[in-house]
Amino acid sequence: MSSTSQGVEHIVLFKVKENTESSKVNTMINELQNLVTIEQVRHLTFGPILNNNEHTTSTIPFSDLRYTHLLHSRYDSKEDLQIYNAHPTHLNGVRNFALPILDDLLVIDWIAGEVALPPHPSPGTAFRVSFLKLKDEKNGEVKEEVFRAIQGIKESVGGVSYVSYGENISPERAKGFTIASLVVFPGREELDRVDPSEGLIKVKEHLESVLVVDHVVPLWK
């Protein structure tokens, strides 16, 4: 069952080097999927990105960054996330199987707030992750306006199961993105009906750069 808590969302985008052997990519996927066995992990999915900044409007300042794989995991607290980050299984998977074949990495974490955290998404569940860089990062009123726009996505479009959003708490590897959101759909069909700029048009004058990626939870082997 879902529960209300101050959960922490953890998103990592990976860019695998071109011409990397498929066996090495598959090994990385298997090793990082195995991180779900760490005690503090409440949910984890890892696999290829479906769409990367695909859009139908030029009015949103989409980033030119491109990534190939996405990892999303969830924790009950920042302390649990820290334990996960320092866990030997995590360090081994990243250092030995991911970093050697990567060109780039982007990491954002945020407090989900008082929201009903869903159970482990089933295979085929679709994610849309958006990272935002604001023109005025210090303006609290602007941030609240952006949060309201993201929150309104669930009410403005059909087929949305869950929306989580917040301010980044891990700036070291976020490339200047300070706000992130996760919109979950039952499947790809519902995801494909929604434009990546949905909800952001209302606040486009506050946006310096936007990165949007889509991911479908894969089957576990």
Side-chain angles (χ1 to χ4, degrees):
M1 293 188 61
S2 299
S3 62
T4 300
S5 77
Q6 289 280 345
V8 177
E9 309 277 16
H10 175 64
I11 299 279
V12 185
L13 302 184
F14 300 74
K15 183 178 182 180
V16 173
K17 296 176 182 177
E18 289 188 17
N19 302 318
T20 299
E21 297 175 13
S22 60
S23 61
K24 292 183 178 180
V25 176
N26 291 334
T27 298
M28 175 188 70
I29 291 174
N30 291 334
E31 290 291 330
L32 296 192
Q33 284 180 338
N34 190 52
L35 299 180
V36 74
T37 61
I38 297 175
E39 180 182 355
Q40 287 72 24
V41 176
R42 293 292 168 260
H43 154 73
L44 185 143
T45 180
F46 178 67
I49 287 173
L50 178 65
N51 295 312
N52 195 142
N53 276 347
E54 300 295 332
H55 55 87
T56 59
T57 175
S58 60
T59 61
I60 298 294
F62 285 97
S63 168
D64 59 359
L65 292 171
R66 293 291 183 273
Y67 293 92
T68 60
H69 293 75
L70 175 146
L71 182 145
H72 169 255
S73 54
R74 181 181 289 122
Y75 307 84
D76 289 339
S77 66
K78 289 192 290 185
E79 291 74 21
D80 281 357
L81 174 58
Q82 291 169 353
I83 293 171
Y84 160 84
N85 282 331
H87 196 283
T89 301
H90 174 253
L91 295 176
N92 177 67
V94 172
R95 291 173 177 173
N96 295 327
F97 300 101
L99 291 180
I101 63 172
L102 295 183
D103 266 339
D104 197 11
L105 196 68
L106 192 157
V107 183
I108 283 188
D109 307 312
W110 73 92
I111 307 298
E114 296 293 338
V115 297
L117 299 180
H120 186 94
S122 60
T125 302
F127 289 2
R128 173 159 290 158
V129 177
S130 300
F131 294 161
L132 311 180
K133 190 181 300 184
L134 305 184
K135 294 178 180 177
D136 185 357
E137 298 289 354
K138 297 180 180 180
N139 191 323
E141 292 183 0
V142 167
K143 290 180 182 178
E144 289 302 318
E145 184 179 349
V146 172
F147 289 149
R148 286 194 298 271
I150 295 171
Q151 187 177 27
I153 293 175
K154 188 171 184 179
E155 287 71 38
S156 63
V157 302
V160 174
S161 303
Y162 169 73
V163 176
S164 173
Y165 58 89
E167 192 165 359
N168 181 37
I169 59 173
S170 303
E172 297 84 5
R173 294 173 293 174
K175 300 186 184 298
F177 292 100
T178 58
I179 290 177
S181 69
L182 169 67
V183 181
V184 179
F185 300 83
R188 181 173 178 179
E189 182 179 351
E190 292 83 0
L191 169 73
D192 288 343
R193 293 173 184 162
V194 182
D195 191 282
S197 62
E198 181 67 41
L200 301 180
I201 295 292
K202 299 176 181 178
V203 294
K204 62 182 181 180
E205 68 272 15
H206 302 308
L207 304 177
E208 178 180 324
S209 184
V210 176
L211 173 61
V212 179
V213 299
D214 296 336
H215 166 73
V216 174
V217 177
L219 292 169
W220 288 86
K221 294 183 179 180

